[in-house]
């Protein structure tokens, strides 16, 4: 499987230089250049900047992880659907945001539902916030994708029993902040250090499993990427930047 990160931002980007690893577009994830997680308004800038115009035609399905305009750009979805039928899977709460087009098909994902999308099995995992989804995605490899939330609810941990993930991709907007009331709402290095140990002990992760962090804030005065990367490396985690590519 292949992963590409068109965007890795949480919030508003404060960095102007696009060649900097601290320049970030709204967070999204592309699997095998076919399954897009979150059709952001920044996706066109990614394809233009990195020279991937063919991706618009190659993407065969879209997952929308939250009923949030940062995750669902009507313009991006409409362009992705040009010349083909495009199925878009999202929380039911996202339905009012969906653009009206004959070749765009909205499919609501219910919590803990298993859905065949292209040749992937996608398991929708709820967070503590209505209208947000995380995902377990399986093909020849298994990916736990956590664009939202922090500490995983016990109901999600029970649902994942018996599944070993090759890769975990997690949001990290709180960076290396100490534990607080936000640990159930957003991810941080502290949260994922704890959850990595929980998932290792439950058998959901192995020592060889890879762990990537995305959805980061920016700071125009200092490099958040460099600081967090050094801290994450001590925890056997990698910080993704825009354009980051992984084949595994």
């Amino acid at each position: 499987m292949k992963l590409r990160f068109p965007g890795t931002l949480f919030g508003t980007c404060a960095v102007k230089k696009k060649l900097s690893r601290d320049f970030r577009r709204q967070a999204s994830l592309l699997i095998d250049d076919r399954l897009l997680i979150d059709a952001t308004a920044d996706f066109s800038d990614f394809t233009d900047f990195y020279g991937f115009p063919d991706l618009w035609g190659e993407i065969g399905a879209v997952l929308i992880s939250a009923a949030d305009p940062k995750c669902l750009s009507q313009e991006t979805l409409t362009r992705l659907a040009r010349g083909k039928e495009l199925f878009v899977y999202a929380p039911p709460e996202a339905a009012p945001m969906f653009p009206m087009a004959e070749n765009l098909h909205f499919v609501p994902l219910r919590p803990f539902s298993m859905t065949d999308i292209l040749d992937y099995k996608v398991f929708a995992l709820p967070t503590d916030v209505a209208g947000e989804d995380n995902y377990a995605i399986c093909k020849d490899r298994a990916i736990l994708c956590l664009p939202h939330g922090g500490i995983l609810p016990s109901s999600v941990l029970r649902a994942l029993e018996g599944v070993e993930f090759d890769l975990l991709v997690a949001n990290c907007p709180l960076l290396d902040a100490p534990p607080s009331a936000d640990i159930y709402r957003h991810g941080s290095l502290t949260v994922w250090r704890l959850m990595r140990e929980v998932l290792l002990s439950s058998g959901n992760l192995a020592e060889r499993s890879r762990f990537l962090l995305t959805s980061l804030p920016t700071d125009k005065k200092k490099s958040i990427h460099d600081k967090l990367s050094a801290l994450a490396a001590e925890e056997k985690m990698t910080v993704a930047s825009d354009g980051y590519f992984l084949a595994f």
Side-chain angles (χ1 to χ4, degrees), residues 81-233:
R82 287 178 187 168
K84 63 175 184 272
E85 300 293 314
L86 184 69
F87 286 83
V88 181
Y89 303 81
E93 292 86 349
M97 304 169 57
F98 199 69
M100 299 298 293
E102 289 184 3
N103 52 341
L104 268 174
H105 307 281
F106 178 84
V107 182
L109 288 186
R110 306 293 177 181
F112 298 113
S113 62
M114 178 73 78
T115 307
D116 290 320
I117 302 176
L118 302 177
D119 47 358
Y120 306 91
K121 291 192 177 298
V122 178
F123 191 30
L125 305 170
T127 72
D128 287 341
V129 177
E132 288 184 354
D133 281 341
N134 290 323
Y135 309 104
I137 301 174
C138 300
K139 189 183 170 187
D140 49 342
R141 296 283 191 271
I143 304 171
L144 183 56
C145 185
L146 306 175
H148 305 287
I151 297 291
L152 296 180
S154 57
S155 58
V156 169
L157 292 174
R158 286 194 298 271
L160 296 178
E161 287 180 1
V163 181
E164 182 182 300
F165 293 96
D166 302 279
L167 175 68
L168 193 155
V169 181
N171 73 92
C172 196
L174 299 183
L175 304 176
D176 58 337
S180 69
D182 283 339
I183 62 173
Y184 292 94
R185 182 68 186 90
H186 297 300
S188 68
L189 195 59
T190 303
V191 165
W192 302 127
R193 181 188 299 117
L194 172 62
M195 286 309 310
R196 183 175 184 273
E197 293 304 316
V198 170
L199 295 170
L200 282 169
S201 64
S202 66
N204 293 119
L205 291 180
E207 287 293 343
R208 61 173 176 76
S209 302
R210 305 189 67 161
F211 204 123
L212 298 178
L213 302 177
T214 182
S215 297
L216 308 176
T218 58
D219 190 320
K220 64 181 178 180
K221 295 182 179 180
K222 61 184 178 181
S223 174
I224 286 178
H225 183 93
D226 291 347
K227 178 184 178 182
L228 189 64
S229 291
L231 295 172

Side-chain angles (χ1 to χ4, degrees), residues 42-57:
D42 291 340
F43 186 71
S44 61
D45 185 70
F46 165 76
T47 58
D48 291 346
F49 184 77
Y50 286 96
F52 294 130
D54 292 344
L55 287 178
W56 291 94

Side-chain angles (χ1 to χ4, degrees), residues 62-78:
V62 178
L63 287 164
I64 299 297
S65 68
D68 186 320
K70 291 182 178 179
C71 300
L72 192 163
S73 162
Q74 293 188 352
E75 182 179 352
T76 299
L77 282 180
T78 301

